[in-house]
Amino acid sequence: MKKQVLASLIAVSLSSAVFAQDDEVKPFTMEGELGFISTSGNTETTSISAGIQAHQELENWSNDYILKGLYKQETVEGDDGEDIEFTSAQKFFGSAQGNYKLENPDNRLFGFASYEDDRFSNFNYQATIAAGWNQKVLENKRHTLEYSIGPGYSFIETQDGESLDSVIVRASSAYSWKISDTAKFTQTVSTEVGSDNTKSRAESALTATISGNLSMRLSFKLDHNTNVEDDVEKLDTETAVSLVYNFF
């Protein structure tokens, strides 16, 4: 009985411009992601990535929530032959976006907030708030595409304690392609253009169902900041293979 109720909530779009009136949308979906890599030899490493993504679809609102974390520890042999353990990556990122639907539900007004703490970046923290226009330009059985653009404000503190707070313009897009009943490709891109720093993010992911609610995901992420110290890379990349579980 429970499976029949869940199945009846699955949304199926009929075209890019017209939504079927008798199709129902899941009011809430959430998935958890976990990746683990351990290596041994000349260098021993342990890398753990985890995340939760949720989507809420209401009559007047369409909301997205993201929490992600990355931790990496390495062990190397020192000149004296002793093992040296150190943390080489530790990152946390969280964001939330609420889209208020207008008379045409494809047109929305959005509010966005995010916070990032990356111990090994040029910044102690980066936080953003923004608001503006959101539009769903495509939705059918296979493809969805939407974009957001609007002004905002960034709160940035460097590792040296310098403040780089500034007014920004934030733009983002999200694309999804249902390749088959068991495979999906997603692409997200965002940029926050400010007077002191421009922060850009991109993530490409291919997700394939293993069994039931369990899937495997291959993802590639890019993080870029224009204003960093000379000894810090402007571009960070992350390639991950992880397991994904759909809770709802």
Side-chain angles (χ1 to χ4, degrees):
M1 181 64 182
K2 184 177 179 181
K3 292 183 178 180
Q4 293 176 346
V5 174
L6 290 175
S8 68
L9 296 175
I10 297 176
V12 181
S13 302
L14 292 182
S15 67
S16 61
V18 180
F19 298 95
Q21 298 300 317
D22 57 350
D23 285 335
E24 295 183 62
V25 178
K26 284 185 177 182
F28 188 76
T29 59
M30 183 173 71
E31 63 180 30
E33 181 176 355
L34 179 64
F36 177 81
I37 298 175
S38 178
T39 64
S40 61
N42 294 324
T43 301
E44 297 181 6
T45 64
T46 300
S47 178
I48 300 173
S49 61
I52 294 177
Q53 297 188 55
H55 178 76
Q56 186 180 33
E57 195 70 35
L58 304 173
E59 182 179 357
N60 296 320
W61 288 89
S62 180
N63 307 320
D64 292 288
Y65 311 94
I66 297 175
L67 289 174
K68 292 187 177 182
L70 172 67
Y71 177 81
K72 184 177 182 180
Q73 186 178 58
E74 297 188 28
T75 302
V76 298
E77 185 176 319
D79 296 335
D80 57 359
E82 297 292 328
D83 288 343
I84 301 174
E85 294 185 357
F86 62 95
T87 301
S88 58
Q90 183 171 313
K91 180 188 298 186
F92 169 81
F93 174 81
S95 71
Q97 178 164 327
N99 302 307
Y100 178 73
K101 302 174 185 177
L102 302 178
E103 183 177 357
N104 180 347
D106 290 347
N107 300 330
R108 303 108 175 264
L109 300 177
F110 84 89
F112 174 85
S114 70
Y115 180 84
E116 181 175 9
D117 185 338
D118 186 352
R119 179 186 295 185
F120 295 92
S121 73
N122 188 68
F123 307 101
N124 187 26
Y125 66 82
Q126 292 177 281
T128 299
I129 56 173
W133 177 261
N134 171 273
Q135 184 176 17
K136 183 176 289 186
V137 295
L138 174 65
E139 183 173 37
N140 57 39
K141 290 182 178 181
R142 295 292 184 185
H143 307 276
T144 63
L145 174 64
E146 65 178 80
Y147 73 90
S148 302
I149 187 168
Y153 199 83
S154 65
F155 305 86
I156 301 175
E157 183 178 276
T158 68
Q159 297 289 0
D160 297 329
E162 180 185 1
S163 175
L164 300 178
D165 299 355
S166 68
V167 176
I168 62 167
V169 174
R170 186 177 196 277
S172 66
S173 65
Y175 170 70
S176 176
W177 172 26
K178 185 179 180 182
I179 302 173
S180 67
D181 291 339
T182 58
K184 180 176 68 173
F185 172 81
T186 57
Q187 175 71 59
T188 59
V189 179
S190 68
T191 186
E192 300 169 3
V193 182
S195 58
D196 292 318
N197 182 60
T198 296
K199 174 185 176 181
S200 302
R201 301 173 62 92
E203 179 176 354
S204 305
L206 180 63
T207 306
T209 301
I210 299 175
S211 177
N213 292 343
L214 187 64
S215 303
M216 179 173 287
R217 175 172 294 161
L218 173 64
S219 61
F220 180 68
K221 304 174 187 177
L222 300 171
D223 280 316
H224 185 272
N225 288 277
T226 58
N227 188 355
V228 299
E229 299 293 336
D230 293 337
D231 59 343
V232 178
E233 294 288 341
K234 293 184 177 181
L235 177 65
D236 288 333
T237 66
E238 178 187 333
T239 303
V241 178
S242 53
L243 293 176
V244 179
Y245 186 82
N246 294 303
F247 295 98
F248 304 103

